[in-house]
Amino acid sequence: MKEKMSKAKTPLKIQDMTFRDGHQSNLATRMRTEDMIPIAEKMDDIGFWSMEVWGGATFDTMHRFLGEDPWERPKTLKKYLKKTPFSMLLRGQNLVGYRNYADDVARAFVDKASEVGIDIFMVFDALNDFRNFQTVVERIKANGKHFSGNICYSLTERTLGGDVFNLDYFTSKCKQLQEMGADSIRIKDMAGLVAPYDIYELVTELKKEITIPLHLHTHYTSGMASMSYLKAIEAGIDIVDTCLAPFAMRTAMPAIEPLVVALQGTSWDTGLDLNKLLELDDYLETVAPKYRDYLATNRMAVIDTGVLAHQIPGGMISNLVSQLKEANALDRLPEVHKEIPITRKELGTPPLVTPTSQIVGVQAVLNVLLGKYKMITTQVKDLVYGLYGKTPTPVDPEVQKKVLKGYKRGETPITGRAADFIEPELAKDREAIGDLAKTEEDLLTYALYPTTGEQFLKWKYGIEEKPENVKPKTLKDVKREDEAIKEAIEKVKA
């Protein structure tokens, strides 16, 4: 039965993820700015609470694979989207990279991101160590922007509970975020693990303690996302993340269109216009063929039922498969699946999200192929030493001894804020890149990605020509490919 309209209306707010996590999850982050512009003004008229347009892998992919200046995207889109706030995903002290950067880099990055058009910063840390929020939050607040404190949702059991990621853990962490001055709190479920009745229980409990808006982010990977959204809405969630249908589901977010219809006539009615959303869908369908080669086609199911059992995020699985293929050992994937929870526990039970998912995954592969900790990655050494922050549980003492034996920084882990042990970097970066960095944005691109950032700047300023693989594919290219395929089929038939 629909919620009675006599109750006070609490319309659900929607954050659109199409221009960021939709194509990041399903199309390897390859959507180009030029394909966003034609519908930008119409997106602005929908009435989204926010649109996430930047952060995550966009910064990396844009400069490395698309040959686009990442800083230009929010500036360009702001010309067309004048009413809807822009949000970005910020990995705490990791910023948009894969390690903790020095405080001077973090401050400069947030200041520049605020300048180019970011209004809401979705800040998370892979270990849920909120000391890694300190510097970026200071600058977010100083710039008068919205600080969304994100808690990474993770499990060790099939559902919510156990000794680590239980109700008390998440409630305590969310209270810490509220005390830090968060303007909203987002539960960030990167693997699509959150189950309907678990999220109902969690949101119900949080509503007793948290007075700022609660926001839920999940992926469709396991197939539970839409069910979980409905139960979260019933429990009082204020904001959810969705995508326009062509870029939704699979490993992205739930589609907005069915959610809008499902909530019509209830107290949570979004008030959004379905017909306007369908117009946007029609446009996306026209440009989608340019990116179809990045869409996974190796299986019939659009959900990964395996994640319900092994709980390994989709992106992490693809990395594991790639590593095992290179080692000609793909047949050992089941062993790696068994090894991952063991390695994860030994390394302090980190949530499996960038960059800790890669750190745990690579080490698990090495443990299977070469023997337990016979080869240890630099990232694992840094993690165990404390350079990523405090892990949810203590690192196994025997593993700690093996990992830190002969480690260049020392064999006793640090316990303080990780960035306090990192020397300032920007002055050295400025000297290293020299005149090639003509703006502060260029300098930050190099600071975050020294090798690929320098290569991009050479493309940007015409010192080197962009290779063919970073030039955009057109719909004419797709049509030619289709015609070639048809011709080949006709030859086979003949």
Side-chain angles (χ1 to χ4, degrees), residues 28-58:
T29 331
R30 291 307 201 271
M31 192 180 190
R32 292 178 175 272
T33 309
E34 65 184 29
D35 288 326
M36 301 176 182
I37 291 172
I39 56 168
E41 290 181 347
K42 289 185 177 181
M43 295 280 275
D44 202 25
D45 287 335
I46 295 297
F48 295 123
W49 176 77
S50 170
M51 286 176 59
E52 193 168 294
V53 300
W54 211 51
T58 57

Side-chain angles (χ1 to χ4, degrees), residues 41-297:
E41 290 181 347
K42 289 185 177 181
M43 295 280 275
D44 202 25
D45 287 335
I46 295 297
F48 295 123
W49 176 77
S50 170
M51 286 176 59
E52 193 168 294
V53 300
W54 211 51
T58 57
F59 199 100
D60 184 359
T61 305
M62 286 184 71
H63 86 275
R64 188 193 303 251
F65 300 120
L66 304 184
E68 287 191 41
D69 191 332
W71 298 99
E72 292 301 316
R73 179 167 290 174
K75 286 192 283 187
T76 299
L77 291 176
K78 272 290 181 184
K79 297 174 184 177
Y80 302 92
L81 290 135
K82 302 181 184 300
K83 298 177 290 188
T84 308
F86 282 3
S87 65
M88 76 163 292
L89 184 66
L90 189 72
R91 299 176 184 137
Q93 201 80 23
N94 277 201
L95 303 176
V96 288
Y98 304 104
R99 66 172 176 88
N100 276 349
Y101 296 91
D103 283 334
D104 60 341
V105 179
R107 293 189 189 99
F109 181 89
V110 173
D111 288 348
K112 183 57 67 173
S114 299
E115 181 184 315
V116 301
I118 301 303
D119 306 295
I120 301 169
F121 289 81
M122 302 280 165
V123 187
F124 82 94
D125 176 69
L127 298 179
N128 288 328
D129 183 347
F130 297 148
R131 295 175 300 176
N132 289 329
F133 283 21
Q134 180 179 313
T135 300
V136 296
V137 168
E138 285 174 358
R139 296 315 304 162
I140 291 167
K141 291 291 188 180
N143 281 283
K145 303 299 183 178
H146 181 115
F147 161 40
S148 169
N150 283 218
I151 175 81
C152 290
Y153 186 88
S154 193
L155 300 172
T156 55
E157 314 289 324
R158 182 66 58 81
T159 55
L160 182 64
D163 296 333
V164 186
F165 301 111
N166 48 43
L167 205 57
D168 287 343
Y169 174 88
F170 290 113
T171 303
S172 172
K173 288 289 184 180
C174 288
K175 287 167 71 174
Q176 290 176 43
L177 289 172
Q178 182 167 261
E179 290 164 5
M180 288 178 66
D183 297 295
S184 61
I185 292 174
R186 182 166 73 159
I187 301 162
K188 177 178 168 57
D189 173 28
M190 49 280 176
L193 298 179
V194 68
Y197 290 102
D198 283 346
I199 196 63
Y200 183 87
E201 181 182 16
L202 178 56
V203 172
T204 299
E205 288 303 310
L206 289 177
K207 280 290 181 178
K208 298 174 184 177
E209 305 280 352
I210 304 300
T211 58
I212 55 180
L214 290 178
H215 186 160
L216 177 59
H217 169 93
T218 189
H219 291 245
Y220 211 85
T221 314
S222 70
M224 291 193 292
S226 291
M227 294 184 284
S228 295
Y229 271 4
L230 285 176
K231 293 306 294 184
I233 291 164
E234 289 177 3
I237 204 77
D238 300 286
I239 310 159
V240 298
D241 290 345
T242 64
C243 291
L244 293 169
F247 285 8
M249 304 174 78
R250 297 182 176 88
T251 56
M253 286 79 250
I256 182 174
E257 299 83 354
L259 187 62
V260 165
V261 174
L263 297 178
Q264 280 183 348
T266 72
S267 63
W268 309 292
D269 194 326
T270 64
L272 303 186
D273 188 328
L274 177 64
N275 290 324
K276 288 183 178 180
L277 295 171
L278 297 179
E279 286 182 28
L280 300 175
D281 293 346
D282 289 341
Y283 167 77
L284 287 180
E285 290 290 358
T286 68
V287 299
K290 292 168 61 173
Y291 306 104
R292 67 185 181 191
D293 292 345
Y294 299 105
L295 189 65
T297 56

Side-chain angles (χ1 to χ4, degrees), residues 371-398:
K372 296 282 285 188
Y373 300 101
K374 296 296 183 183
M375 180 182 289
I376 302 166
T377 69
T378 301
Q379 291 74 24
V380 166
K381 294 177 182 180
D382 290 347
L383 175 69
V384 172
Y385 186 69
L387 287 183
Y388 286 90
K390 183 180 179 181
T391 53
T393 62
V395 174
D396 181 280
E398 291 304 312

Side-chain angles (χ1 to χ4, degrees), residues 126-127 316 350-361 383 388:
L127 298 179
M316 185 176 175
L352 297 177
V353 64
T354 303
T356 50
S357 56
Q358 291 91 326
I359 294 171
V360 171
L383 175 69
Y388 286 90

